[in-house]
């Protein structure tokens, strides 16, 4: 039994006179509920009505989805209608944090309403007002029910099932998702387009306590504030996922976050955001290539084929594994696999069935890329190829380069004319590009190359280049490819040209990197992934019939890389439209022969000019 002092502090009841209080005192009960406890359940009868003493109660209506109706705070009450009439409760009432109530059974409620006209009028007025407010809210929410259900169906279709992949990264990602499903903080999931940022956000919602409530995906690029207001009202208790949040100003993001009421906010972006200090980073597909076979087989199975392993040749799988998927990561891989299934007519997918890159906009000319391969000082031949293309009026829309191909490609993309190369390259000496160091993982380091490159094009970032350009380096620990297309160009070139065993590995973007020839000797896949419709590849490898015995240690290393990369290069060259192979000997590492190498590049390009123009014409038509 409660004391008079405590009863006098109760909302509503504390306003009664002593006689009325005495008549109901034996019916009063103090209750304490833990967060998440359902005090009343929709469809069940309430044997007590409750007045809230402290804490907050959430009121939900469960239909096709769980809709938040109201929040009740101290002084408000619930369950009175069911308690009085014996009917079922019309909504679920759940504790949002610790809750303390005073409750009374039907007998006490009837007795009090019978004896106290003041209390009866107070209760009736309050009930009418609350029912009116609740009905307004329910009407408002269910007027949008068709929009809500359509959105939920779209989100259900957008889920890809389980996150596929057993790499170390994917196992770690699953652990992070499980951890974040138990938290409520605003979270940002960052990564390139198509890596599965929204998928991860949906998984966090599905594993959370909010799983029964709506989840909405909104697009930051085309966000309409009217749509935002509609969705946040429908999503109360659930989750809002804002894709491409970095497309919005920081102050607008803060305003959007502050407008949410009991709704989880998850952002996706390419880069970290100030609003969300906590984040998950999803690495690009090319940095977890061990997941690619599992993804390919899952896409084939999703298309309705049994035994998916039998429908993918090893050669096609190898080529898919070497493609960087810059434009769309997992989503781009899905498209490549589905289109290959169509071309193979449901039979085994082979290399000719694969089509990479994006479709050209109608009415536009083909985009032409150069894929400039590795080859040490023989890279001067790239200049001869570029010279002939310029003279023929064939545009160069983008360049991908490996090792010396990255060196030449970066300087040309940065604005250096062919004439400057012809004048400077024969005078270049290795001491301008490298310096001796202690023989630890290499005899020299190539940091001087930073100054050499910047002397000609300045300390520019990739986005400042005249022609879009990307380079390839390889991970010094596992040999995997790293695509270099952001940050300082000069530093990326150092990473791409660090010859294994000769030049010390270069630390760049948090990784220890070596010469890109280890992964992509001629980066055709990179050029295609950059958006090229036509790729002209320049392969500087020396045919076995033209090889000479290496004259020194460095030439021996370069020849070894050449031998090891031949098979891998042949697979990738199948993605090129035109392959140019200047006839260059492998013996010298000096730049003194650059003029001869330029001439050989001119010769092979001029001999292939009609084939290049024919191919361009066929692609254009």
């Amino acid at each position: 039994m409660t004391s008079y002092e405590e009863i006098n502090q109760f909302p509503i009841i504390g306003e009664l006179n002593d006689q009325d209080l005495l008549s109901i005192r034996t019916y009063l009960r103090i209750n304490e509920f833990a967060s998440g406890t359902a005090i009343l359940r929709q469809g069940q009868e309430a044997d007590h009505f409750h007045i809230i003493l402290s804490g907050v109660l959430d009121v939900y209506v469960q239909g096709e989805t769980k809709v938040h109706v109201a929040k009740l705070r101290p002084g408000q009450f619930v369950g009175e209608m069911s308690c009085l009439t014996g009917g079922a409760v019309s909504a679920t009432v759940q504790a949002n944090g610790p809750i303390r109530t005073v409750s009374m059974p039907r007998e006490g409620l009837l007795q009090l309403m019978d004896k106290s006209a003041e209390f009866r009028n107070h209760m009736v007025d309050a009930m009418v007002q609350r029912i009116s407010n609740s009905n307004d809210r329910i009407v408002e929410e269910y007027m949008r029910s068709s929009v809500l259900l359509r959105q939920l169906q779209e989100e259900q279709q957008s889920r890809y099932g389980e996150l596929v992949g057993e790499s170390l990264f994917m196992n770690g990602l699953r652990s992070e998702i499980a951890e974040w499903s138990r938290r409520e903080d605003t979270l940002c999931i960052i990564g390139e387009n198509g890596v599965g940022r929204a998928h991860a956000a949906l998984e966090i919602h599905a594993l959370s306590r909010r799983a029964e409530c709506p989840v909405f995906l909104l697009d930051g690029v085309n966000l309409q504030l009217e749509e935002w207001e509609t969705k946040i009202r429908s999503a109360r208790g659930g989750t809002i996922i804002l894709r491409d949040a970095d497309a919005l100003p920081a102050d607008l993001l803060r305003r959007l976050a502050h407008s949410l009421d009991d709704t989880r906010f998850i952002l996706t972006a390419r880069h970290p955001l100030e609003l969300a200090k906590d984040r998950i980073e999803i690495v690009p597909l090319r940095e977890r290539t061990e997941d690619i076979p599992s993804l390919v087989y899952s896409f084939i199975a999703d298309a309705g084929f049994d035994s998916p392993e039998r429908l993918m040749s090893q050669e096609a799988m190898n080529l898919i594994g070497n493609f960087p998927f810059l434009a769309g990561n997992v989503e781009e891989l899905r498209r490549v696999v589905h289109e290959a299934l169509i071309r193979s007519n449901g039979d085994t997918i082979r290399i000719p069935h694969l089509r990479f890159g994006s479709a050209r906009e109608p009415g536009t000319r083909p985009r032409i890329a150069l894929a400039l391969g590795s080859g040490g000082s023989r890279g001067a031949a790239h200049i001869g190829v570029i010279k002939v293309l310029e003279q023929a009026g064939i545009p160069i829309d983008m360049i991908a380069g490996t090792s010396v191909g990255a060196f030449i490609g970066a300087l040309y993309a940065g604005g250096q004319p062919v004439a400057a190369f012809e004048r400077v390259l024969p005078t270049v000496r290795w001491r301008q590009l490298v310096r001796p160091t202690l023989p630890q993982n290499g005899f020299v380091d190539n940091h001087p190359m930073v100054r050499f490159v910047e002397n000609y094009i300045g300390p520019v970032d990739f986005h400042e280049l005249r022609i879009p350009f990307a380079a390839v380096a390889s991970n010094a620990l596992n040999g995997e490819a790293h695509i270099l297309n952001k940050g300082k160009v000069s530093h990326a070139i150092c990473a791409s040209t660090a010859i294994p065993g000769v030049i010390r590995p270069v630390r760049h973007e948090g990784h220890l990197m070596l010469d890109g020839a280890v992964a992509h000797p001629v980066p055709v896949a990179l050029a295609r992934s950059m958006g090229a419709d036509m790729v002209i590849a320049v392969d500087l490898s020396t045919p076995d019939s033209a090889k000479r015995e290496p004259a020194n240690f460095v030439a021996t290393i370069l020849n070894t890389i050449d031998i090891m990369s031949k098979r891998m290069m042949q697979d990738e060259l199948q993605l090129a439209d035109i392959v140019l192979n200047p006839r260059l000997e492998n013996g010298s590492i000096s730049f003194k022969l650059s003029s001869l190498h330029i001439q050989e590049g001119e010769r092979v390009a001029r001999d292939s000019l009609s084939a290049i123009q024919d191919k361009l014409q066929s692609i254009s038509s």
Side-chain angles (χ1 to χ4, degrees):
M1 186 179 295
T2 55
S3 66
Y4 274 110
E5 291 76 11
E6 188 173 14
I7 291 175
N8 285 333
Q9 303 301 315
F10 291 167
I12 304 175
I13 293 177
E15 301 171 12
L16 302 177
N17 59 44
D18 291 345
Q19 183 177 355
D20 291 337
L21 281 176
L22 183 63
S23 68
I24 65 167
R25 185 178 177 188
T26 57
Y27 294 107
L28 299 179
R29 186 172 72 189
I30 303 297
N31 310 281
E32 293 184 354
F33 300 98
S35 180
T37 303
I39 296 175
L40 303 174
R41 292 188 180 277
Q42 180 178 336
Q44 297 180 2
E45 183 180 340
D47 55 1
H48 282 68
F49 100 105
H50 294 258
I51 301 174
I52 304 171
L53 300 179
S54 63
V56 177
L57 289 173
D58 286 325
V59 183
Y60 293 98
V61 173
Q62 185 74 49
E64 293 287 345
T65 186
K66 187 177 181 182
V67 177
H68 187 277
V69 174
K71 278 185 182 296
L72 302 181
R73 293 180 168 83
Q76 295 179 287
F77 45 88
V78 292
E80 70 289 339
M81 185 68 73
S82 176
C83 187
L84 283 171
T85 65
V89 176
S90 60
T92 294
V93 180
Q94 183 173 307
N96 184 351
I99 288 290
R100 192 165 179 261
T101 72
V102 57
S103 64
M104 182 185 298
R106 184 171 185 268
E107 294 79 9
L109 180 58
L110 289 173
Q111 183 173 324
L112 181 57
M113 294 186 70
D114 180 58
K115 291 188 175 183
S116 173
E118 181 180 359
F119 179 78
R120 182 170 60 250
N121 292 335
H122 184 100
M123 285 284 290
V124 170
D125 289 344
M127 288 167 58
V128 169
Q129 182 63 41
R130 185 169 66 78
I131 291 170
S132 175
N133 291 343
S134 296
N135 285 340
D136 288 346
R137 178 67 62 84
I138 293 171
V139 168
E140 178 185 2
E141 297 298 341
Y142 278 91
M143 280 177 63
R144 300 183 182 86
S145 61
S146 61
V147 176
L148 175 65
L149 293 176
R150 185 169 65 252
Q151 178 79 23
L152 292 174
Q153 289 170 357
E154 290 173 0
E155 304 315 341
Q156 186 175 18
Q157 291 170 0
S158 73
R159 290 195 59 191
Y160 310 136
E162 297 297 322
L163 289 163
V164 174
E166 295 301 327
S167 64
L168 185 64
F169 169 79
M170 286 302 298
N171 288 327
L173 178 61
R174 292 189 188 94
S175 297
E176 285 190 277
I177 286 172
E179 169 64 24
W180 278 102
S181 70
R182 295 188 287 270
R183 298 173 62 174
E184 295 292 327
D185 317 59
T186 297
L187 172 68
C188 185
I189 304 177
I190 62 174
E192 294 180 4
N193 290 336
V195 293
R197 297 171 301 183
H199 190 184
L202 287 166
E203 287 298 309
I204 290 172
H205 171 81
L207 294 173
S208 74
R209 69 174 182 83
R210 301 174 181 270
E212 294 181 359
C213 299
V215 54
F216 290 102
L217 271 75
L218 300 178
D219 187 355
V221 175
N222 301 306
L223 183 67
Q224 301 294 323
L225 292 183
E226 276 189 18
E227 178 190 23
W228 174 264
E229 294 295 333
T230 299
K231 294 296 175 58
I232 64 173
R233 284 195 293 270
S234 297
R236 285 191 186 93
T239 303
I240 290 282
I241 300 170
L242 181 60
R243 292 181 289 201
D244 297 320
D246 42 357
L248 298 175
D251 60 338
L252 177 56
L253 278 178
R254 284 191 292 270
R255 282 166 45 206
L256 295 179
H258 290 155
S259 69
L260 296 175
D261 180 20
D262 189 30
T263 304
R264 179 78 182 275
F265 198 23
I266 301 179
L267 314 172
T268 78
R270 288 180 63 90
H271 310 288
L273 297 173
E274 182 182 343
L275 176 65
K277 303 300 182 185
D278 298 303
R279 65 177 184 262
I280 293 175
E281 182 172 1
I282 303 183
V283 302
L285 187 58
R286 59 185 172 275
E287 293 183 19
R288 49 185 179 96
T289 54
E290 60 267 46
D291 291 328
I292 287 179
S294 298
L295 285 164
V296 168
Y297 298 142
S298 72
F299 295 152
I300 295 174
D302 289 344
F305 292 92
D306 297 327
S307 304
E309 292 84 357
R310 298 180 183 177
L311 289 179
M312 177 62 64
S313 70
Q314 190 58 53
E315 294 79 9
M317 183 67 82
N318 291 342
L319 193 56
I320 288 175
N322 281 325
F323 195 76
F325 297 103
L326 289 178
N329 284 283
V330 177
E331 286 306 297
E332 188 178 0
L333 173 61
R334 181 198 298 271
R335 178 186 59 76
V336 168
V337 172
H338 285 178
E339 290 181 0
L341 282 169
I342 294 171
R343 293 190 186 95
S344 72
N345 198 27
D347 203 349
T348 302
I349 295 173
R350 306 192 184 279
I351 287 178
H353 300 133
L354 299 175
R355 296 289 188 278
F356 297 98
S358 56
R360 188 169 85 253
E361 290 290 332
T364 61
R365 68 167 179 80
R367 294 158 294 187
I368 301 171
L370 284 182
L372 305 180
S374 61
S377 61
R378 293 173 292 169
H382 293 316
I383 299 303
V385 172
I386 292 171
K387 182 177 181 179
V388 170
L389 294 177
E390 281 189 349
Q391 291 172 345
I394 296 173
I396 299 171
D397 298 299
M398 58 198 75
I399 302 172
T402 292
S403 194
V404 71
F407 177 78
I408 298 293
L411 291 171
Y412 183 72
Q416 286 301 296
V418 167
F421 284 104
E422 293 179 311
R423 183 179 66 255
V424 173
L425 278 181
T427 70
V428 173
R429 299 296 179 262
W430 279 103
R431 63 176 176 271
Q432 298 172 265
L433 308 177
V434 299
R435 64 188 176 192
T437 185
L438 293 176
Q440 180 181 2
N441 301 325
F443 294 96
V444 295
D445 75 55
N446 63 358
H447 189 70
M449 192 175 293
V450 170
R451 184 170 59 185
F452 184 93
V453 171
E454 292 184 354
N455 278 341
Y456 290 96
I457 63 173
V460 297
D461 284 0
F462 277 84
H463 70 272
E464 299 176 278
L465 294 172
R466 180 175 60 92
I467 299 173
F469 167 74
V472 181
S474 58
N475 190 301
L477 301 180
N478 56 26
E480 287 191 353
H482 280 275
I483 307 303
L484 309 176
N485 58 3
K486 58 183 182 293
K488 287 284 181 286
V489 174
S490 55
H491 292 261
I493 301 314
C494 286
S496 183
T497 57
I499 303 169
V502 178
I503 299 176
R504 293 184 67 173
V506 174
R507 186 162 292 281
H508 184 66
E509 296 182 342
H511 299 279
L512 208 57
M513 298 189 189
L514 284 172
D515 195 300
V518 174
H520 292 278
V522 185
V524 182
L526 173 57
R528 187 71 71 185
S529 193
M530 290 170 70
D533 301 303
M534 176 176 172
V535 178
I536 301 171
V538 185
D539 170 19
L540 301 182
S541 63
T542 305
D544 293 340
S545 59
K547 284 185 176 180
R548 296 189 307 173
E549 184 176 339
N552 51 54
F553 171 73
V554 175
T556 300
I557 293 289
L558 291 173
N559 189 53
T560 301
I561 295 174
D562 198 23
I563 294 170
M564 293 174 62
S565 62
K566 265 201 176 299
R567 175 58 187 275
M568 176 171 47
M569 183 168 56
Q570 290 307 313
D571 285 343
E572 188 165 351
L573 286 175
Q574 295 182 70
L575 292 176
D577 297 283
I578 300 291
V579 179
L580 306 180
N581 188 202
R583 297 173 185 169
L584 304 168
E585 293 184 349
N586 68 321
S588 173
I589 62 169
S590 170
F591 286 93
K592 294 178 181 179
L593 299 177
S594 290
S595 296
L596 293 176
H597 293 158
I598 291 173
Q599 291 173 17
E600 176 58 16
E602 288 184 63
R603 183 200 64 79
V604 72
R606 196 168 287 111
D607 289 349
S608 302
L609 196 54
S610 60
I612 294 173
Q613 291 169 330
D614 289 345
K615 186 66 178 180
L616 181 57
Q617 181 64 34
S618 68
I619 294 175
S620 301
S621 58

